[in-house]
Amino acid sequence: METLYQTAETTRKSEFAAICARSQHNALVAAECANLTGGRPNGDGVARCDTVVHVPRAAYVRTGLRLLARGTTLDELVAAVEEAAFPADDFRIDVHSSVGSLDGTHRAATIELADALPFYPDLEDPRHRFVVCAIDDYLWFGEVVSEYTQDYRRHDDKPRRTSSSLSSRLSRALVNLVTPAQTILDPCCGTGSILLEAQSMGIEAYGVDWNRTMVEMTRENLTQFGYDASVECADARTITRTADAIVTDVPYGRSLDADESVIRGILRRGVELAPVAVYVAGETMTTWLEDAGYRDVVVYPVFKRAGSARYVHVARREHV
Ligand SMILES: C[S@@+](CC[C@H](N)C(=O)[O-])C[C@H]1O[C@@H](n2cnc3c(N)ncnc32)[C@H](O)[C@@H]1O
């Protein structure tokens, strides 16, 4: 049965919002948020959304809220909170940092809202955590019901890595772009950063690399964390293993054997193996993807500190 709550206006089904972490990868953050929650974040990184149950696995979606009350002004919001009936013992209230539409300080707003609740606060060890955020023309009062665990961070300590290894956070976000895939293939797995994230979320993952040293590195990394993915040494242009999705980081950059004909060959094979794919590359390769048989290619640039960029491509095969 769906949870019901009272607002000042009426009784309605639960509504949710997601708050995204600050990041320079704005477009990728928005894409992860849309795929995990069904909502696109506004300029403050807040999205009205359908669900927040997947927030714990997110790379960039920080907090999931159940929305409890709203108002077009702080006074209206305070009145709505006063009228709404929800448990709030030992509460804490925070104002989302970019809420600019509150008159006066965030602290004053917090005090007014706290006074509207017939419960005692506990800032140190709250049982109920509330957040005030702005979406469209409303100020919303929501309760925190989920948060990202950042459990991908433990993979930052993987024993084997190279200068081309992806960060665990970016790898997590890439896998989240193909949720709810049950099986994932990484045909250029390198040290296995993507496989680690997939496996940790209970997704069956297969890795391939034509470099035996990379295959050994991936196996060592997987073993370190107790994961049991299958990894084989093969040329990605000839493999036959299918999956719900491909998530991979094709060879690019001076240190890798990046050759247009090899990459095009990997894409042509990939389109046969999975209906949806995420390809990371050093340049945009929309035309190559379309030539290989993909459509609906969307590109998210991901900027690195040194000023260079990677490009995350999400593509679907034409004949799905
Ligand atoms: C950018 S690296 C992948 C890095 C990886 N995501 C990580 O985090 O370690 C690309 C990898 O593709 C592999 N590769 C290049 N061409 C390949 C091919 N035709 N078949 C299989 N692997 C290939 C390279 O050996 C390299 O390990």
Side-chain angles (χ1 to χ4, degrees):
M1 202 174 77
E2 290 181 290
T3 315
L4 297 178
Y5 70 92
Q6 299 281 122
T7 70
E9 297 166 311
T10 179
T11 300
R12 59 173 74 202
K13 283 199 301 180
S14 289
E15 293 182 62
F16 299 99
I19 301 180
C20 299
R22 289 188 182 287
S23 163
Q24 76 274 36
H25 309 326
N26 282 340
L28 184 67
V29 172
E32 184 195 53
C33 184
N35 209 46
L36 291 185
T37 73
R40 290 224 152 248
N42 62 19
D44 292 340
V46 186
R48 282 286 291 279
C49 60
D50 303 329
T51 176
V52 290
V53 296
H54 303 302
V55 170
R57 66 186 280 174
Y60 297 110
V61 185
R62 183 161 56 84
T63 310
L65 302 177
R66 176 182 291 121
L67 298 172
L68 299 168
R70 72 179 187 186
T72 53
T73 62
L74 177 60
D75 285 347
E76 262 186 47
L77 183 63
V78 169
V81 165
E82 223 160 22
E83 280 187 48
F86 50 83
D89 40 320
D90 302 334
F91 69 86
R92 177 188 170 102
I93 301 172
D94 291 292
V95 178
H96 183 53
S97 58
S98 42
V99 172
S101 46
L102 286 181
D103 293 334
T105 65
H106 287 181
R107 186 170 152 69
T110 307
I111 291 169
E112 277 196 57
L113 286 161
D115 286 346
L117 292 172
F119 296 93
Y120 289 108
D122 184 340
L123 304 189
E124 299 302 317
D125 187 20
R127 199 178 313 181
H128 295 275
R129 288 176 45 217
F130 301 105
V131 174
V132 180
C133 58
I135 315 172
D136 300 329
D137 296 329
Y138 288 98
L139 290 172
W140 285 92
F141 189 82
E143 178 160 14
V144 175
V145 290
S146 56
E147 284 184 284
Y148 67 177
T149 60
Q150 297 183 287
D151 59 333
Y152 53 81
R153 280 184 168 182
R154 67 201 152 116
H155 300 144
D156 287 337
D157 294 329
K158 58 179 176 266
R160 305 305 298 267
R161 67 185 65 236
T162 69
S163 59
S164 308
S165 297
L166 293 178
S167 74
S168 60
R169 192 180 198 185
L170 178 56
S171 303
R172 174 62 68 95
L174 300 178
V175 175
N176 282 338
L177 295 182
V178 297
T179 300
Q182 301 292 310
T183 53
I184 279 178
L185 168 67
D186 181 350
C188 297
C189 68
T191 56
S193 315
I194 291 166
L195 303 179
L196 289 172
E197 297 315 315
Q199 286 285 122
S200 73
M201 291 190 281
I203 299 167
E204 208 174 318
Y206 313 114
V208 173
D209 204 292
W210 67 359
N211 181 328
R212 186 158 296 282
T213 305
M214 291 298 169
V215 170
E216 292 309 323
M217 284 182 163
T218 289
R219 287 189 178 139
E220 200 178 322
N221 283 338
L222 289 164
T223 303
Q224 171 74 17
F225 297 101
Y227 303 137
D228 185 26
S230 134
V231 188
E232 62 175 306
C233 188
D235 186 330
R237 293 170 294 178
T238 58
I239 54 176
T240 55
R241 165 94 68 175
T242 58
D244 293 341
I246 286 176
V247 182
T248 197
D249 181 22
V250 295
Y252 52 85
R254 254 175 276 146
S255 59
L256 292 164
D257 257 352
D259 167 301
E260 177 177 339
S261 72
V262 172
I263 296 176
R264 281 181 176 270
I266 294 169
L267 303 182
R268 273 198 303 274
R269 189 74 217 123
V271 82
E272 300 299 327
L273 301 177
V276 60
V278 173
Y279 290 101
V280 182
E283 290 174 22
T284 55
M285 48 177 202
T286 304
T287 315
W288 296 2
L289 285 159
E290 288 170 351
D291 289 349
Y294 286 104
R295 61 168 169 81
D296 298 341
V297 181
V298 185
V299 188
Y300 307 105
V302 172
F303 298 102
K304 294 196 276 186
R305 274 194 205 95
S308 58
R310 289 185 172 109
Y311 296 88
V312 176
H313 303 74
V314 181
R316 279 158 213 291
R317 77 174 160 218
E318 236 155 38
H319 47 90
V320 180

